[in-house]
Amino acid sequence: MPAPLMDTYAPPDLVFERGEGVRLYTGEGKAYLDFISGIAVNALGHCHPKAVAALKSQADKLWHLSNMFKVPGQIELAKKYTDATFADRVFFTNSGTEAVEAALKTARRYFFDKGEPHRYRIITFSGAFHGRSYGAINAGGNPKYLEGFGPRMEGFDQVEFGDHEALKAAVTEETAAILVEPVQGEGGVRALPEQCLRGLRELCNEHGLLLIYDEVQCGAGRTGKLFAHEWAETAQPDIMAVAKGIGGGFPMGACLTTEAAGAPMVVGTHGSTFGGNPLAMAVGNVVFDELTAPGFMNHVNDVSNFLKQQLGGLADRHASVVQEVRGKGLLVGLRLVDDVVNREFVGKVRERGLLIGAAGDNVARLAPPLVITEHDASEAVSILDDTLADVAK
Ligand SMILES: *Cc1c(COP(=O)(O)O)cnc(C)c1O
């Protein structure tokens, strides 16, 4: 009998029943230390008491309205994000892909509105990942994700990550925007140096382009700032797609824009039935309040510095397996040597009770809940240490 699910994923033979903080438990009660958190999603860990309380309380009141009616939680959360960031306007979505779609449409609409509809092309980078919709796979440009899905969509120009000359040459009269992840996640956990973000901002200013950040994975406090680009201070975007961590595990995303970039998105230009749903907003408000609570980002910075130091030691001890430690904050990659396959390594680590993920470029990816302690980090490093010793044999 064929399986009822499409074969789009290949999960291991392991079922979790419950989660608490940084740990997941199977039905038999076996505990796993979660250092991937649903791919950078469960920022506050599993079943954070305040998030659970907010969700339960909202569930008793009202689940869904659509955007035919005002959702006060949206206005409240949009105000928090606009007060805390470069942004003046927010559109809520259910996922990262939808946030990216909203960002792409907003960029094109901006030039249409200015009477320059010929400016619609968007520059992206090799190794990018922007989601799995038709627009997003074309923006991402990964041949593996495009194969078999018909003609390439017009309007995306991809340049090599880090190739400044190629980037400058790619800007034409038809270019509308540059779309970039300040830290590439799926592509192999590669952080764009801060001076490169500033360089992108300057290039955009010079040519009147919009700068779009995809902070779906690296945002929401993951790098030790509310959003990763804040490390580069002056390199603010015009548009930003966020999701994953901002919902702490409840599906939600958002497209944030400046007033100028967002104003052309008037009634009828975009929409979503579920985006900004009351349940999502109840949780989203709690997540924002926790991320911005006094001391929270200090904790993320302290614990990520500790983890980075420990992983550096690990890489030194196992130089025959670990080529490099990469990333920023609590989005970390171990680039393994070519003859150790990252997916197999992830499986071996899991057998020892630690959950991590794989990313492109043969990277093992760590994206733990932001609430991990140094003790949790030490435990994870110790499991990695044992597994690496095993693999090195
Ligand atoms: C995960 C991810 C997306 C897609 O988000 P979904 O919620 O899976 O649709 C887009 N961009 C980046 C950088 C991501 O990491």
Side-chain angles (χ1 to χ4, degrees):
M1 218 175 48
L5 290 178
M6 280 194 194
D7 287 327
T8 48
Y9 291 100
D13 200 13
L14 174 68
V15 179
F16 295 112
E17 194 177 76
R18 171 175 90 72
E20 193 184 321
V22 300
R23 264 156 241 274
L24 284 168
Y25 299 88
T26 65
E28 296 80 50
K30 185 165 163 37
Y32 286 78
L33 181 57
D34 185 6
F35 261 54
I36 189 64
S37 53
I39 316 191
V41 169
N42 303 91
L44 305 180
H46 297 277
C47 292
H48 187 281
K50 286 186 191 164
V52 171
L55 185 60
K56 282 184 173 166
S57 151
Q58 185 60 45
D60 281 334
K61 285 188 236 160
L62 179 66
W63 286 28
H64 178 78
L65 285 168
S66 90
N67 290 295
M68 282 177 63
F69 299 101
K70 284 189 177 167
V71 177
Q74 283 186 18
I75 298 162
E76 188 187 341
L77 188 54
K79 174 91 171 71
K80 289 177 186 172
Y81 274 106
T82 53
D83 284 349
T85 68
F86 75 95
D88 304 304
R89 301 286 193 118
V90 181
F91 179 90
F92 287 109
T93 70
N94 308 289
S95 68
T97 304
E98 290 167 84
V100 168
E101 289 284 343
L104 296 173
K105 284 180 68 178
T106 300
R108 286 184 170 181
R109 189 75 187 191
Y110 170 84
F111 287 102
F112 172 86
D113 203 60
K114 267 175 63 139
E116 300 176 67
H118 61 280
R119 289 181 79 170
Y120 66 92
R121 305 194 69 85
I122 294 171
I123 296 175
T124 65
F125 295 88
S126 61
F129 180 79
H130 300 298
R132 296 297 200 115
S133 67
Y134 185 48
I137 57 175
N138 276 278
N142 183 337
K144 228 172 56 192
Y145 296 160
L146 285 158
E147 187 183 42
F149 299 119
R152 281 297 298 267
M153 184 187 280
E154 245 291 89
F156 295 100
D157 298 304
Q158 191 155 83
V159 301
E160 204 53 46
F161 188 81
D163 186 341
H164 299 218
E165 293 315 308
L167 172 63
K168 281 179 193 150
V171 177
T172 71
E173 302 284 282
E174 295 183 340
T175 306
I178 296 175
L179 168 62
V180 67
E181 296 154 84
V183 184
Q184 283 191 346
E186 305 296 314
V189 192
R190 294 192 291 182
L192 204 63
E194 284 150 31
Q195 69 270 22
C196 289
L197 287 179
R198 288 192 286 268
L200 284 177
R201 180 68 265 176
E202 280 160 26
L203 188 68
C204 285
N205 291 350
E206 199 180 309
H207 296 277
L209 311 179
L210 297 176
L211 181 57
I212 310 173
Y213 288 150
D214 179 344
E215 290 223 19
V216 170
Q217 188 158 162
C218 62
R222 182 130 305 266
T223 67
K225 297 249 186 215
L226 187 55
F227 293 104
H229 71 268
E230 292 167 16
W231 287 105
E233 284 163 15
T234 53
Q236 295 199 329
D238 301 286
I239 303 173
M240 179 167 73
V242 298
K244 292 200 167 102
I246 66 160
F250 199 95
M252 69 169 283
C255 175
L256 278 58
T257 76
T258 59
E259 180 59 28
M265 296 301 278
V266 294
V267 172
T269 55
H270 199 48
S272 169
T273 299
F274 291 122
N277 161 293
L279 295 169
M281 294 301 103
V283 180
N285 272 287
V286 169
V287 173
F288 180 93
D289 293 346
E290 289 300 304
L291 294 180
T292 53
F296 191 91
M297 286 306 152
N298 287 341
H299 166 76
V300 176
N301 285 307
D302 290 346
V303 77
S304 61
N305 285 337
F306 176 80
L307 180 64
K308 192 176 175 186
Q309 202 176 37
Q310 298 287 305
L311 291 173
L314 202 67
D316 290 343
R317 281 200 295 289
H318 303 283
S320 69
V321 186
V322 181
Q323 211 168 66
E324 189 190 8
V325 181
R326 317 170 163 170
K328 200 159 185 141
L330 288 177
L331 182 54
V332 186
L334 301 179
R335 171 53 161 100
L336 305 179
V337 295
D338 289 341
D339 47 359
V340 176
V341 177
N342 59 350
R343 278 172 209 287
E344 289 170 13
F345 179 74
V346 168
K348 290 198 171 94
V349 170
R350 188 174 57 239
E351 283 166 18
R352 293 172 184 268
L354 176 67
L355 305 174
I356 61 170
D361 197 28
N362 207 32
V363 163
R365 174 172 30 173
L366 278 60
L370 306 182
V371 296
I372 57 163
T373 60
E374 289 193 0
H375 187 267
D376 298 323
S378 296
E379 190 179 333
V381 168
S382 155
I383 294 173
L384 290 169
D385 204 358
D386 292 346
T387 315
L388 286 165
D390 206 30
V391 167
K393 278 189 203 145

mmCIF file of all heavy atoms in Angstrom, residues 111 119 121-125 156-159 163-179 199-211:
data_model
loop_
_atom_site.group_PDB
_atom_site.id
_atom_site.type_symbol
_atom_site.label_atom_id
_atom_site.label_comp_id
_atom_site.label_asym_id
_atom_site.label_seq_id
_atom_site.Cartn_x
_atom_site.Cartn_y
_atom_site.Cartn_z
ATOM 1 N N PHE A 111 8.062 50.442 -7.724
ATOM 2 C CA PHE A 111 8.499 51.070 -8.978
ATOM 3 C C PHE A 111 7.333 51.276 -9.940
ATOM 4 O O PHE A 111 7.302 52.260 -10.676
ATOM 5 C CB PHE A 111 9.643 50.253 -9.611
ATOM 6 C CG PHE A 111 10.923 50.436 -8.853
ATOM 7 C CD1 PHE A 111 11.376 49.466 -7.967
ATOM 8 C CD2 PHE A 111 11.648 51.607 -8.982
ATOM 9 C CE1 PHE A 111 12.536 49.661 -7.240
ATOM 10 C CE2 PHE A 111 12.816 51.808 -8.253
ATOM 11 C CZ PHE A 111 13.251 50.828 -7.381
ATOM 12 N N ARG A 119 11.274 48.693 -14.135
ATOM 13 C CA ARG A 119 12.240 48.272 -13.092
ATOM 14 C C ARG A 119 11.568 47.206 -12.235
ATOM 15 O O ARG A 119 10.822 47.515 -11.310
ATOM 16 C CB ARG A 119 12.637 49.470 -12.222
ATOM 17 C CG ARG A 119 13.526 50.436 -12.979
ATOM 18 C CD ARG A 119 13.920 51.589 -12.102
ATOM 19 N NE ARG A 119 14.987 51.241 -11.180
ATOM 20 C CZ ARG A 119 15.632 52.140 -10.432
ATOM 21 N NH1 ARG A 119 15.295 53.415 -10.491
ATOM 22 N NH2 ARG A 119 16.595 51.762 -9.636
ATOM 23 N N ARG A 121 13.405 43.837 -11.968
ATOM 24 C CA ARG A 121 14.347 42.733 -11.756
ATOM 25 C C ARG A 121 14.924 42.776 -10.344
ATOM 26 O O ARG A 121 15.140 43.844 -9.771
ATOM 27 C CB ARG A 121 15.484 42.770 -12.783
ATOM 28 C CG ARG A 121 15.009 42.776 -14.230
ATOM 29 C CD ARG A 121 16.136 42.485 -15.189
ATOM 30 N NE ARG A 121 16.585 41.098 -15.073
ATOM 31 C CZ ARG A 121 16.005 40.090 -15.712
ATOM 32 N NH1 ARG A 121 14.985 40.297 -16.518
ATOM 33 N NH2 ARG A 121 16.462 38.867 -15.555
ATOM 34 N N ILE A 122 15.165 41.594 -9.823
ATOM 35 C CA ILE A 122 15.664 41.497 -8.454
ATOM 36 C C ILE A 122 16.944 40.665 -8.442
ATOM 37 O O ILE A 122 16.989 39.562 -9.009
ATOM 38 C CB ILE A 122 14.573 40.918 -7.537
ATOM 39 C CG1 ILE A 122 13.429 41.949 -7.472
ATOM 40 C CG2 ILE A 122 15.125 40.619 -6.132
ATOM 41 C CD1 ILE A 122 12.187 41.506 -6.802
ATOM 42 N N ILE A 123 17.968 41.225 -7.826
ATOM 43 C CA ILE A 123 19.262 40.530 -7.754
ATOM 44 C C ILE A 123 19.294 39.678 -6.490
ATOM 45 O O ILE A 123 18.953 40.150 -5.398
ATOM 46 C CB ILE A 123 20.429 41.551 -7.758
ATOM 47 C CG1 ILE A 123 20.441 42.307 -9.101
ATOM 48 C CG2 ILE A 123 21.765 40.854 -7.501
ATOM 49 C CD1 ILE A 123 21.478 43.428 -9.170
ATOM 50 N N THR A 124 19.708 38.423 -6.651
ATOM 51 C CA THR A 124 19.837 37.511 -5.502
ATOM 52 C C THR A 124 21.233 36.871 -5.538
ATOM 53 O O THR A 124 22.007 37.125 -6.466
ATOM 54 C CB THR A 124 18.759 36.411 -5.537
ATOM 55 O OG1 THR A 124 18.987 35.598 -6.702
ATOM 56 C CG2 THR A 124 17.357 36.998 -5.593
ATOM 57 N N PHE A 125 21.531 36.027 -4.552
ATOM 58 C CA PHE A 125 22.891 35.486 -4.414
ATOM 59 C C PHE A 125 22.927 33.962 -4.451
ATOM 60 O O PHE A 125 21.979 33.301 -4.012
ATOM 61 C CB PHE A 125 23.512 35.989 -3.106
ATOM 62 C CG PHE A 125 23.705 37.471 -3.124
ATOM 63 C CD1 PHE A 125 22.680 38.309 -2.712
ATOM 64 C CD2 PHE A 125 24.871 38.029 -3.620
ATOM 65 C CE1 PHE A 125 22.823 39.687 -2.779
ATOM 66 C CE2 PHE A 125 25.020 39.404 -3.693
ATOM 67 C CZ PHE A 125 24.001 40.236 -3.268
ATOM 68 N N PHE A 156 14.797 37.542 -12.209
ATOM 69 C CA PHE A 156 15.790 37.363 -11.142
ATOM 70 C C PHE A 156 17.171 37.223 -11.759
ATOM 71 O O PHE A 156 17.365 36.512 -12.743
ATOM 72 C CB PHE A 156 15.463 36.121 -10.302
ATOM 73 C CG PHE A 156 14.175 36.259 -9.549
ATOM 74 C CD1 PHE A 156 13.009 35.676 -10.016
ATOM 75 C CD2 PHE A 156 14.119 37.009 -8.381
ATOM 76 C CE1 PHE A 156 11.807 35.821 -9.329
ATOM 77 C CE2 PHE A 156 12.923 37.170 -7.686
ATOM 78 C CZ PHE A 156 11.759 36.575 -8.167
ATOM 79 N N ASP A 157 18.124 37.918 -11.194
ATOM 80 C CA ASP A 157 19.515 37.834 -11.645
ATOM 81 C C ASP A 157 20.349 37.400 -10.458
ATOM 82 O O ASP A 157 20.356 38.078 -9.429
ATOM 83 C CB ASP A 157 19.995 39.203 -12.140
ATOM 84 C CG ASP A 157 19.177 39.686 -13.327
ATOM 85 O OD1 ASP A 157 19.105 38.956 -14.329
ATOM 86 O OD2 ASP A 157 18.577 40.781 -13.230
ATOM 87 N N GLN A 158 21.024 36.268 -10.609
ATOM 88 C CA GLN A 158 21.789 35.769 -9.462
ATOM 89 C C GLN A 158 23.283 36.022 -9.631
ATOM 90 O O GLN A 158 23.832 35.778 -10.703
ATOM 91 C CB GLN A 158 21.539 34.275 -9.276
ATOM 92 C CG GLN A 158 22.095 33.808 -7.940
ATOM 93 C CD GLN A 158 21.401 32.573 -7.413
ATOM 94 O OE1 GLN A 158 21.729 31.470 -7.791
ATOM 95 N NE2 GLN A 158 20.447 32.765 -6.525
ATOM 96 N N VAL A 159 23.897 36.503 -8.574
ATOM 97 C CA VAL A 159 25.350 36.701 -8.596
ATOM 98 C C VAL A 159 25.995 35.853 -7.502
ATOM 99 O O VAL A 159 25.344 35.447 -6.546
ATOM 100 C CB VAL A 159 25.755 38.194 -8.426
ATOM 101 C CG1 VAL A 159 25.157 39.046 -9.525
ATOM 102 C CG2 VAL A 159 25.352 38.724 -7.073
ATOM 103 N N ASP A 163 30.927 38.160 -4.507
ATOM 104 C CA ASP A 163 31.605 38.712 -5.690
ATOM 105 C C ASP A 163 31.106 40.138 -5.962
ATOM 106 O O ASP A 163 30.114 40.364 -6.654
ATOM 107 C CB ASP A 163 31.354 37.799 -6.903
ATOM 108 C CG ASP A 163 32.154 38.227 -8.132
ATOM 109 O OD1 ASP A 163 32.602 39.397 -8.186
ATOM 110 O OD2 ASP A 163 32.333 37.399 -9.040
ATOM 111 N N HIS A 164 31.831 41.115 -5.439
ATOM 112 C CA HIS A 164 31.394 42.517 -5.497
ATOM 113 C C HIS A 164 31.323 43.043 -6.918
ATOM 114 O O HIS A 164 30.410 43.781 -7.276
ATOM 115 C CB HIS A 164 32.340 43.400 -4.675
ATOM 116 C CG HIS A 164 32.374 43.035 -3.231
ATOM 117 N ND1 HIS A 164 32.461 43.956 -2.219
ATOM 118 C CD2 HIS A 164 32.308 41.831 -2.599
ATOM 119 C CE1 HIS A 164 32.458 43.343 -1.050
ATOM 120 N NE2 HIS A 164 32.369 42.055 -1.259
ATOM 121 N N GLU A 165 32.296 42.651 -7.741
ATOM 122 C CA GLU A 165 32.340 43.150 -9.122
ATOM 123 C C GLU A 165 31.150 42.622 -9.907
ATOM 124 O O GLU A 165 30.497 43.365 -10.642
ATOM 125 C CB GLU A 165 33.661 42.760 -9.795
ATOM 126 C CG GLU A 165 34.880 43.457 -9.184
ATOM 127 C CD GLU A 165 34.662 44.957 -8.945
ATOM 128 O OE1 GLU A 165 34.242 45.648 -9.898
ATOM 129 O OE2 GLU A 165 34.896 45.426 -7.804
ATOM 130 N N ALA A 166 30.863 41.335 -9.734
ATOM 131 C CA ALA A 166 29.719 40.725 -10.434
ATOM 132 C C ALA A 166 28.423 41.406 -10.004
ATOM 133 O O ALA A 166 27.527 41.635 -10.815
ATOM 134 C CB ALA A 166 29.653 39.233 -10.132
ATOM 135 N N LEU A 167 28.372 41.759 -8.736
ATOM 136 C CA LEU A 167 27.169 42.415 -8.216
ATOM 137 C C LEU A 167 26.976 43.772 -8.891
ATOM 138 O O LEU A 167 25.887 44.079 -9.383
ATOM 139 C CB LEU A 167 27.295 42.567 -6.697
ATOM 140 C CG LEU A 167 26.212 43.387 -6.016
ATOM 141 C CD1 LEU A 167 24.848 42.727 -6.180
ATOM 142 C CD2 LEU A 167 26.515 43.559 -4.526
ATOM 143 N N LYS A 168 28.043 44.554 -8.918
ATOM 144 C CA LYS A 168 27.936 45.880 -9.529
ATOM 145 C C LYS A 168 27.546 45.776 -10.998
ATOM 146 O O LYS A 168 26.721 46.545 -11.496
ATOM 147 C CB LYS A 168 29.257 46.642 -9.399
ATOM 148 C CG LYS A 168 29.402 47.233 -8.013
ATOM 149 C CD LYS A 168 30.705 47.983 -7.827
ATOM 150 C CE LYS A 168 30.916 48.248 -6.345
ATOM 151 N NZ LYS A 168 32.341 48.297 -5.985
ATOM 152 N N ALA A 169 28.116 44.777 -11.678
ATOM 153 C CA ALA A 169 27.836 44.592 -13.108
ATOM 154 C C ALA A 169 26.396 44.134 -13.347
ATOM 155 O O ALA A 169 25.842 44.341 -14.431
ATOM 156 C CB ALA A 169 28.811 43.567 -13.701
ATOM 157 N N ALA A 170 25.796 43.519 -12.353
ATOM 158 C CA ALA A 170 24.433 42.977 -12.530
ATOM 159 C C ALA A 170 23.356 44.057 -12.431
ATOM 160 O O ALA A 170 22.216 43.834 -12.828
ATOM 161 C CB ALA A 170 24.177 41.881 -11.497
ATOM 162 N N VAL A 171 23.720 45.224 -11.890
ATOM 163 C CA VAL A 171 22.727 46.298 -11.744
ATOM 164 C C VAL A 171 22.491 46.953 -13.105
ATOM 165 O O VAL A 171 23.431 47.417 -13.750
ATOM 166 C CB VAL A 171 23.215 47.368 -10.731
ATOM 167 C CG1 VAL A 171 22.215 48.520 -10.643
ATOM 168 C CG2 VAL A 171 23.435 46.746 -9.353
ATOM 169 N N THR A 172 21.226 46.945 -13.553
ATOM 170 C CA THR A 172 20.879 47.581 -14.829
ATOM 171 C C THR A 172 19.728 48.567 -14.614
ATOM 172 O O THR A 172 19.245 48.726 -13.493
ATOM 173 C CB THR A 172 20.419 46.542 -15.875
ATOM 174 O OG1 THR A 172 19.125 46.053 -15.493
ATOM 175 C CG2 THR A 172 21.390 45.380 -15.996
ATOM 176 N N GLU A 173 19.291 49.182 -15.718
ATOM 177 C CA GLU A 173 18.143 50.110 -15.690
ATOM 178 C C GLU A 173 16.872 49.417 -15.228
ATOM 179 O O GLU A 173 15.907 50.074 -14.860
ATOM 180 C CB GLU A 173 17.885 50.634 -17.121
ATOM 181 C CG GLU A 173 19.058 51.340 -17.752
ATOM 182 C CD GLU A 173 19.226 52.726 -17.184
ATOM 183 O OE1 GLU A 173 18.464 53.606 -17.596
ATOM 184 O OE2 GLU A 173 20.101 52.904 -16.301
ATOM 185 N N GLU A 174 16.874 48.088 -15.319
ATOM 186 C CA GLU A 174 15.662 47.322 -14.991
ATOM 187 C C GLU A 174 15.678 46.781 -13.575
ATOM 188 O O GLU A 174 14.731 46.136 -13.146
ATOM 189 C CB GLU A 174 15.508 46.155 -15.976
ATOM 190 C CG GLU A 174 15.260 46.606 -17.399
ATOM 191 C CD GLU A 174 15.045 45.439 -18.349
ATOM 192 O OE1 GLU A 174 15.445 44.301 -18.008
ATOM 193 O OE2 GLU A 174 14.487 45.673 -19.426
ATOM 194 N N THR A 175 16.785 47.026 -12.847
ATOM 195 C CA THR A 175 16.874 46.459 -11.498
ATOM 196 C C THR A 175 16.014 47.240 -10.517
ATOM 197 O O THR A 175 16.069 48.478 -10.482
ATOM 198 C CB THR A 175 18.338 46.466 -11.011
ATOM 199 O OG1 THR A 175 19.142 45.807 -11.991
ATOM 200 C CG2 THR A 175 18.479 45.748 -9.672
ATOM 201 N N ALA A 176 15.237 46.497 -9.747
ATOM 202 C CA ALA A 176 14.384 47.109 -8.724
ATOM 203 C C ALA A 176 14.985 46.967 -7.340
ATOM 204 O O ALA A 176 14.913 47.887 -6.521
ATOM 205 C CB ALA A 176 12.998 46.466 -8.741
ATOM 206 N N ALA A 177 15.575 45.799 -7.075
ATOM 207 C CA ALA A 177 15.963 45.515 -5.695
ATOM 208 C C ALA A 177 17.059 44.476 -5.609
ATOM 209 O O ALA A 177 17.330 43.748 -6.570
ATOM 210 C CB ALA A 177 14.737 45.018 -4.923
ATOM 211 N N ILE A 178 17.675 44.419 -4.438
ATOM 212 C CA ILE A 178 18.609 43.348 -4.089
ATOM 213 C C ILE A 178 17.989 42.609 -2.915
ATOM 214 O O ILE A 178 17.547 43.231 -1.944
ATOM 215 C CB ILE A 178 19.987 43.909 -3.704
ATOM 216 C CG1 ILE A 178 20.625 44.612 -4.910
ATOM 217 C CG2 ILE A 178 20.893 42.807 -3.179
ATOM 218 C CD1 ILE A 178 21.952 45.306 -4.597
ATOM 219 N N LEU A 179 17.921 41.289 -3.022
ATOM 220 C CA LEU A 179 17.353 40.441 -1.969
ATOM 221 C C LEU A 179 18.464 39.579 -1.387
ATOM 222 O O LEU A 179 19.142 38.855 -2.122
ATOM 223 C CB LEU A 179 16.255 39.556 -2.570
ATOM 224 C CG LEU A 179 15.730 38.391 -1.714
ATOM 225 C CD1 LEU A 179 15.084 38.888 -0.429
ATOM 226 C CD2 LEU A 179 14.721 37.560 -2.525
ATOM 227 N N GLY A 199 27.938 47.884 2.292
ATOM 228 C CA GLY A 199 28.232 48.068 0.866
ATOM 229 C C GLY A 199 26.973 47.897 0.023
ATOM 230 O O GLY A 199 26.754 48.648 -0.941
ATOM 231 N N LEU A 200 26.143 46.915 0.381
ATOM 232 C CA LEU A 200 24.889 46.703 -0.346
ATOM 233 C C LEU A 200 23.973 47.915 -0.196
ATOM 234 O O LEU A 200 23.330 48.346 -1.150
ATOM 235 C CB LEU A 200 24.168 45.461 0.185
ATOM 236 C CG LEU A 200 24.726 44.104 -0.230
ATOM 237 C CD1 LEU A 200 23.943 42.987 0.452
ATOM 238 C CD2 LEU A 200 24.655 43.938 -1.745
ATOM 239 N N ARG A 201 23.924 48.436 1.038
ATOM 240 C CA ARG A 201 23.077 49.608 1.287
ATOM 241 C C ARG A 201 23.537 50.796 0.436
ATOM 242 O O ARG A 201 22.731 51.488 -0.176
ATOM 243 C CB ARG A 201 23.117 49.949 2.778
ATOM 244 C CG ARG A 201 22.289 51.142 3.220
ATOM 245 C CD ARG A 201 20.795 50.898 3.114
ATOM 246 N NE ARG A 201 20.233 51.395 1.867
ATOM 247 C CZ ARG A 201 18.953 51.245 1.496
ATOM 248 N NH1 ARG A 201 18.103 50.602 2.280
ATOM 249 N NH2 ARG A 201 18.528 51.699 0.349
ATOM 250 N N GLU A 202 24.859 50.988 0.378
ATOM 251 C CA GLU A 202 25.402 52.096 -0.416
ATOM 252 C C GLU A 202 25.109 51.917 -1.903
ATOM 253 O O GLU A 202 24.733 52.867 -2.587
ATOM 254 C CB GLU A 202 26.917 52.224 -0.202
ATOM 255 C CG GLU A 202 27.251 52.941 1.094
ATOM 256 C CD GLU A 202 28.675 52.671 1.569
ATOM 257 O OE1 GLU A 202 29.542 52.369 0.724
ATOM 258 O OE2 GLU A 202 28.903 52.748 2.796
ATOM 259 N N LEU A 203 25.272 50.676 -2.374
ATOM 260 C CA LEU A 203 25.001 50.392 -3.788
ATOM 261 C C LEU A 203 23.531 50.682 -4.104
ATOM 262 O O LEU A 203 23.214 51.263 -5.153
ATOM 263 C CB LEU A 203 25.328 48.921 -4.091
ATOM 264 C CG LEU A 203 25.281 48.515 -5.558
ATOM 265 C CD1 LEU A 203 26.408 49.172 -6.357
ATOM 266 C CD2 LEU A 203 25.360 46.996 -5.699
ATOM 267 N N CYS A 204 22.652 50.287 -3.206
ATOM 268 C CA CYS A 204 21.222 50.539 -3.401
ATOM 269 C C CYS A 204 20.936 52.045 -3.412
ATOM 270 O O CYS A 204 20.163 52.528 -4.242
ATOM 271 C CB CYS A 204 20.387 49.841 -2.325
ATOM 272 S SG CYS A 204 20.275 48.068 -2.577
ATOM 273 N N ASN A 205 21.568 52.773 -2.516
ATOM 274 C CA ASN A 205 21.371 54.230 -2.476
ATOM 275 C C ASN A 205 21.828 54.873 -3.781
ATOM 276 O O ASN A 205 21.155 55.734 -4.339
ATOM 277 C CB ASN A 205 22.160 54.853 -1.316
ATOM 278 C CG ASN A 205 21.581 54.456 0.045
ATOM 279 O OD1 ASN A 205 20.494 53.879 0.124
ATOM 280 N ND2 ASN A 205 22.313 54.745 1.107
ATOM 281 N N GLU A 206 22.982 54.409 -4.234
ATOM 282 C CA GLU A 206 23.585 54.969 -5.442
ATOM 283 C C GLU A 206 22.674 54.808 -6.661
ATOM 284 O O GLU A 206 22.588 55.689 -7.509
ATOM 285 C CB GLU A 206 24.900 54.206 -5.670
ATOM 286 C CG GLU A 206 25.921 54.855 -6.552
ATOM 287 C CD GLU A 206 27.132 53.929 -6.638
ATOM 288 O OE1 GLU A 206 27.641 53.482 -5.570
ATOM 289 O OE2 GLU A 206 27.535 53.619 -7.777
ATOM 290 N N HIS A 207 22.001 53.661 -6.759
ATOM 291 C CA HIS A 207 21.186 53.361 -7.945
ATOM 292 C C HIS A 207 19.683 53.463 -7.691
ATOM 293 O O HIS A 207 18.884 53.095 -8.546
ATOM 294 C CB HIS A 207 21.510 51.959 -8.461
ATOM 295 C CG HIS A 207 22.922 51.805 -8.943
ATOM 296 N ND1 HIS A 207 23.321 52.185 -10.213
ATOM 297 C CD2 HIS A 207 24.036 51.348 -8.321
ATOM 298 C CE1 HIS A 207 24.613 51.940 -10.350
ATOM 299 N NE2 HIS A 207 25.080 51.445 -9.218
ATOM 300 N N GLY A 208 19.306 53.931 -6.516
ATOM 301 C CA GLY A 208 17.871 54.031 -6.209
ATOM 302 C C GLY A 208 17.176 52.689 -6.109
ATOM 303 O O GLY A 208 15.986 52.567 -6.422
ATOM 304 N N LEU A 209 17.903 51.664 -5.685
ATOM 305 C CA LEU A 209 17.314 50.325 -5.555
ATOM 306 C C LEU A 209 16.770 50.122 -4.142
ATOM 307 O O LEU A 209 17.211 50.778 -3.199
ATOM 308 C CB LEU A 209 18.366 49.241 -5.797
ATOM 309 C CG LEU A 209 19.247 49.355 -7.032
ATOM 310 C CD1 LEU A 209 20.229 48.182 -7.059
ATOM 311 C CD2 LEU A 209 18.388 49.364 -8.283
ATOM 312 N N LEU A 210 15.858 49.177 -4.023
ATOM 313 C CA LEU A 210 15.371 48.802 -2.695
ATOM 314 C C LEU A 210 16.226 47.647 -2.186
ATOM 315 O O LEU A 210 16.588 46.742 -2.940
ATOM 316 C CB LEU A 210 13.903 48.372 -2.776
ATOM 317 C CG LEU A 210 12.924 49.463 -3.220
ATOM 318 C CD1 LEU A 210 11.522 48.887 -3.348
ATOM 319 C CD2 LEU A 210 12.936 50.644 -2.253
ATOM 320 N N LEU A 211 16.540 47.700 -0.913
ATOM 321 C CA LEU A 211 17.289 46.608 -0.291
ATOM 322 C C LEU A 211 16.306 45.754 0.508
ATOM 323 O O LEU A 211 15.598 46.263 1.383
ATOM 324 C CB LEU A 211 18.386 47.176 0.617
ATOM 325 C CG LEU A 211 19.281 46.155 1.332
ATOM 326 C CD1 LEU A 211 19.977 45.217 0.337
ATOM 327 C CD2 LEU A 211 20.329 46.869 2.191
#
